[in-house]
Amino acid sequence: MLINSKNALLTAKNENFAIPATNFIDLDSARSYVKVAEEKGLPLILAYAQSHSEMLAIEEAALIGKFFAKKSPVPVILHLDHGEDTDFIFKAIELGFTSVMIDASRENFADNIAITKRVVEYAHQFDVTVEAELGHVGSNDFSESPTLTDSIYTEVEDVLAFVDQTNVDSLAISIGTAHGIYKGAPTINFERLEEIDKMTTIPLVLHGGSSSGDSNLNCCATHGISKVNIFSDFINDAFYAIQEKKPEDYLQLKNIANQTMLAVLNHCYDVFATRPISV
């Protein structure tokens, strides 16, 4: 069933687990993610990133996402990830996305508030939930971000003002992760996470979940993070599996990639301690 993220993430926050947000880049990846969610009877955030629009047009992503979500017996949120262009975000809403992210984290604090507020006011007219980013989650490589950037921690004292002035539904915070693959597991600032979690009632989001370490991710999921974004782990594990198994044709290659993605998401659900939700 196709839903927005509001009650799902609030449930995750209240019950101390996280829901995986899985970026799909084609029909197969979307189908694989939903298949795992259905087999486990768990909610899923089926995410599509603006940065992947040259690979998969937003119109195509909307059709794929709505097709699988509407026929699924489990709750599925069709989410626009890292929308940086408000026109692109508004188009996603018009096409049927039920959740959107406005990423104005590279702007100054006042501009981030102004841009986010504009998106929230538009999205809420259509019962679409909005995620914003405060602080900045940088990039280790080009797999999830078109540019390499450094992370900037979320300042605790900014959180209440930002949430109050924007009326945003969930907030991505920067506590030590980065997009892409690490050379070693990152150092997570759990003290900062605890401080932010205690001061706000809205769900918190972690970007850069790939290769962040199972213990780190489990601790985040059970101590304040309600949504964890994963992408690089899917494509990298699929790539390595293909190299190892050396498929003899394209169909074998696709099957290896799909089966690997199934295994990665199964593992994520366990690490994030995800539980069923009522809708």
Side-chain angles (χ1 to χ4, degrees), residues 36-58:
V36 176
E38 291 177 350
E39 288 175 348
K40 297 180 82 73
L42 295 173
L44 174 71
I45 300 169
L46 193 58
Y48 162 79
Q50 180 174 345
S51 61
H52 295 148
S53 58
E54 291 186 4
M55 186 181 306
L56 182 71
I58 188 171

Side-chain angles (χ1 to χ4, degrees), residues 156-173:
V156 176
E157 58 268 23
D158 291 339
V159 172
L160 283 181
F162 187 88
V163 172
D164 182 63
Q165 293 181 51
T166 62
N167 197 30
V168 73
D169 299 291
S170 61
L171 187 65
I173 59 173

Side-chain angles (χ1 to χ4, degrees), residues 184-250:
T187 300
I188 307 295
N189 190 334
F190 291 107
E191 182 178 342
R192 183 70 55 93
L193 171 58
E194 182 180 9
E195 288 180 282
I196 296 172
D197 183 44
K198 284 182 177 179
M199 69 164 41
T200 182
T201 59
I202 69 168
L204 301 177
V205 175
L206 187 73
H207 285 257
S210 291
S211 77
S212 291
D214 288 356
S215 60
N216 278 339
L217 292 174
N218 179 263
C219 191
C220 285
T222 55
H223 291 82
I225 292 295
S226 304
K227 169 180 176 277
V228 178
N229 283 40
I230 301 289
F231 175 61
S232 295
D233 278 350
F234 289 108
I235 58 171
N236 281 288
D237 282 20
F239 176 69
Y240 297 141
I242 289 166
Q243 287 186 310
E244 178 184 349
K245 296 183 179 180
K246 297 180 175 59
E248 296 180 1
D249 57 43
Y250 179 73

Side-chain angles (χ1 to χ4, degrees), residues 73-90:
V74 299
V76 178
I77 297 145
L78 180 57
H79 175 72
L80 175 67
D81 187 28
H82 285 287
E84 299 181 5
D85 175 352
T86 54
D87 288 339
F88 194 90
I89 294 171
F90 295 163

Side-chain angles (χ1 to χ4, degrees), residues 22-176:
T22 56
N23 282 83
F24 69 97
I25 53 174
D26 57 15
L27 183 71
D28 273 358
S29 53
R31 181 193 290 117
S32 297
Y33 301 149
V34 174
K35 179 180 180 181
V36 176
E38 291 177 350
E39 288 175 348
K40 297 180 82 73
L42 295 173
L44 174 71
I45 300 169
L46 193 58
Y48 162 79
Q50 180 174 345
S51 61
H52 295 148
S53 58
E54 291 186 4
M55 186 181 306
L56 182 71
I58 188 171
E59 293 86 356
E60 297 168 325
L63 288 171
I64 291 170
K66 288 188 294 184
F67 172 77
F68 286 116
K70 288 181 177 179
K71 74 184 187 69
S72 178
V74 299
V76 178
I77 297 145
L78 180 57
H79 175 72
L80 175 67
D81 187 28
H82 285 287
E84 299 181 5
D85 175 352
T86 54
D87 288 339
F88 194 90
I89 294 171
F90 295 163
K91 186 174 186 179
I93 294 169
E94 292 161 7
L95 288 170
F97 281 72
T98 57
S99 172
V100 295
M101 179 193 182
I102 168 61
D103 183 1
S105 62
R106 298 186 199 186
E107 307 292 337
N108 63 48
F109 185 65
D111 287 344
N112 192 352
I113 287 176
I115 295 167
T116 300
K117 184 177 179 180
R118 181 182 174 214
V119 171
V120 170
E121 289 174 347
Y122 184 83
H124 282 183
Q125 298 177 72
F126 302 93
D127 196 31
V128 172
T129 43
V130 180
E131 172 190 333
E133 184 168 320
L134 186 59
H136 179 67
V137 179
S139 174
N140 286 313
D141 57 32
F142 298 102
S143 62
E144 288 196 271
S145 175
T147 56
L148 298 177
T149 59
D150 293 328
S151 294
I152 302 170
Y153 272 15
T154 303
E155 296 294 338
V156 176
E157 58 268 23
D158 291 339
V159 172
L160 283 181
F162 187 88
V163 172
D164 182 63
Q165 293 181 51
T166 62
N167 197 30
V168 73
D169 299 291
S170 61
L171 187 65
I173 59 173
S174 179
I175 54 172

